Amino acid sequence: MIKYNEPMLKDGALKGKNIIVTGGGSGLGKTMTRYFLQLGAKVVITSRNLEKLQHTAQELATETGGEVLALRCDVRHYEEVEQMLQQAVVEFGQINGLVNNAAGNFISPTERLSANAFDTIIDIVLKGSKNATLALGKYWIKENINPSTILNIVTTYAWTGSAFVVPSATAKAGVLAMTRSLAVEWAKYGIRSNAIAPGPFPTKGAWDRLLPGDLKEKFNPAKKIPLKRVGEHQELANLAAYLMSEYSAYINGEVITIDGGEWLYGAGEFNQLDKITPEMWDMLAQMTKKR
Ligand code: HXC
Ligand code: NAP
């Protein structure tokens, strides 16, 4: 039987795709890049730390035999994004995919945050996604590069909101609005725009910041997920590759949740009743059924 954490798409599914993955040097960005390369794409990985990017690029090129280019770019600055894009075009001839994956986040009561702390997250997540999207969109429209695809990595609290990560929730909500807005506005140029909303997928970047110290045990995310496990990276890479490929050519403006049912579990009024044992249900039935 096929396992959920096996690579899903057929060989060559991303051949001809030249994709920029922001934040591609670590975590989920690195995982997606690896799979895109395995499927025949060329990938530009970009973030603030060139040394880390070059290390990842070397590792993934050796592992997959694919072409991967490391370019430094802080997505908070539009000029840096434009320069990175120009360099990417020189190296690869053309770019036709963008994954807005770069993010910043930390947990904190909101009233403790400085204005600059709040801005830092908004600038990376919302302004950074806007910068990359705007630069790529202008380039695609001007050069008539069609089809082209944007994939935004958001999270489920983009629509539920979440306490203690308010800058991130505010920014991700904006990215989701941008996803849906541009899906309509830019469809005429052959630009699709979709999003993935992951639940918990263990990465060093997220875990060290959001579940530091013994919070990992105290708030073990697997416990509040109906499927009782966190996500595996290949599952997300499968979905991302599908959305970047032409197999999903008719999917536009969609946000796909991949969280084992986590956010719905938090939302349903009576979902906590899953803690009731069969014996207790017998008792409750006696108490509530008409005699
Ligand atoms: C409160 C903090 C803080 C913290 C920094 N600041 N960390 N405030 N709590 N833990 C404040 C600083 O005091 C400063 O404000 C301002 O934020 C900027 O901090 P810098 O360290 O100068 O910023 P910078 O070097 O740009 O680093 C950005 C960063 C950092 C976001 C703070 O954590 C980072 O580089 N993150 C990138 C990777 C990341 O976050 N990955 C996790 C994504 S997980 P003042 O006023 O003092 O100047 C994710 C998952 C979501 O998004 C869903 C999970 C289910
Ligand atoms: P991660 O490894 O920390 O990834 C974040 C990346 O963003 C890093 O590679 C970082 O690289 C880059 N980055 C940060 N600031 C940047 C900037 N100003 N310019 C350019 N790049 C920047 O964490 P992750 O867990 O893989 O997160 C990846 C994405 O998944 C994020 O969008 C996150 O919100 C989303 N997500 C993750 C989870 C999860 O459970 N892991 C759940 C839901 C959503 P540098 O430090 O080198 O710049």
Side-chain angles (χ1 to χ4, degrees):
M1 193 163 73
I2 287 171
K3 291 207 189 103
Y4 62 79
N5 53 5
E6 283 174 14
M8 181 179 87
L9 294 184
K10 69 179 178 199
D11 287 352
L14 291 180
K15 211 159 183 292
K17 298 282 180 190
N18 298 341
I19 302 168
I20 293 174
V21 179
T22 68
S26 65
L28 296 175
K30 180 175 174 182
T31 302
M32 287 187 276
T33 299
R34 177 185 290 110
Y35 193 41
F36 295 169
L37 291 167
Q38 284 168 349
L39 292 170
K42 294 183 192 173
V43 185
V44 177
I45 53 173
T46 182
S47 81
R48 298 164 299 179
N49 183 339
L50 184 60
E51 210 182 312
K52 181 176 85 178
L53 291 170
Q54 285 170 334
H55 186 266
T56 298
Q58 181 65 52
E59 179 192 326
L60 296 184
T62 309
E63 196 183 319
T64 65
E67 259 189 81
V68 53
L69 176 66
L71 294 178
R72 197 205 160 275
C73 164
D74 185 330
V75 289
R76 290 175 284 195
H77 306 298
Y78 187 75
E79 334 70 67
E80 290 191 27
V81 174
E82 281 215 311
Q83 275 167 22
M84 180 272 296
L85 174 59
Q86 274 173 21
Q87 240 178 304
V89 171
V90 168
E91 295 290 333
F92 285 170
Q94 177 189 89
I95 296 295
N96 48 27
L98 167 68
V99 181
N100 279 312
N101 165 79
N105 205 355
F106 42 66
I107 48 168
S108 175
T110 306
E111 69 278 10
R112 287 183 178 221
L113 294 176
S114 68
N116 186 42
F118 207 120
D119 282 351
T120 299
I121 304 306
I122 298 285
D123 285 353
I124 301 171
V125 178
L126 179 55
K127 207 171 140 191
S129 302
K130 175 275 288 178
N131 283 341
T133 302
L134 190 62
L136 267 291
K138 282 172 183 287
Y139 156 71
W140 286 331
I141 293 165
K142 183 162 174 268
E143 303 292 330
N144 194 21
I145 292 173
N146 178 348
S148 46
T149 310
I150 301 167
L151 176 62
N152 294 319
I153 309 300
V154 296
T155 185
T156 53
Y157 59 60
W159 58 90
T160 63
S162 176
F164 306 112
V165 285
V166 170
S168 172
T170 308
K172 294 284 192 187
V175 175
L176 183 55
M178 186 173 69
T179 310
R180 290 174 168 148
S181 307
L182 290 177
V184 174
E185 190 179 328
W186 283 355
K188 60 178 176 285
Y189 301 115
I191 304 170
R192 288 188 298 126
S193 185
N194 289 299
I196 294 179
F201 281 74
T203 64
K204 189 168 165 32
W207 255 229
D208 285 1
R209 288 181 176 88
L210 306 179
L211 295 166
D214 65 358
L215 286 195
K216 283 179 198 61
E217 284 71 49
K218 279 199 177 125
F219 297 101
N220 179 356
K223 285 193 181 149
K224 62 184 179 78
I225 296 172
L227 289 174
K228 297 296 172 220
R229 67 174 180 85
V230 291
E232 289 197 28
H233 281 213
Q234 186 62 41
E235 294 179 273
L236 187 127
N238 283 340
L239 179 56
Y242 168 67
L243 290 172
M244 294 306 290
S245 79
E246 291 310 301
Y247 289 120
S248 62
Y250 203 48
I251 299 183
N252 188 26
E254 190 52 270
V255 53
I256 300 184
T257 302
I258 178 164
D259 76 341
E262 183 194 38
W263 85 267
L264 281 170
Y265 181 67
E269 183 74 32
F270 290 98
N271 288 350
Q272 299 277 337
L273 297 190
D274 66 349
K275 296 190 180 63
I276 291 182
T277 61
E279 295 72 30
M280 282 167 79
W281 277 120
D282 291 341
M283 239 169 56
L284 289 168
Q286 278 192 359
M287 288 160 70
T288 53
K289 273 185 185 167
K290 279 194 189 146
R291 294 199 173 254

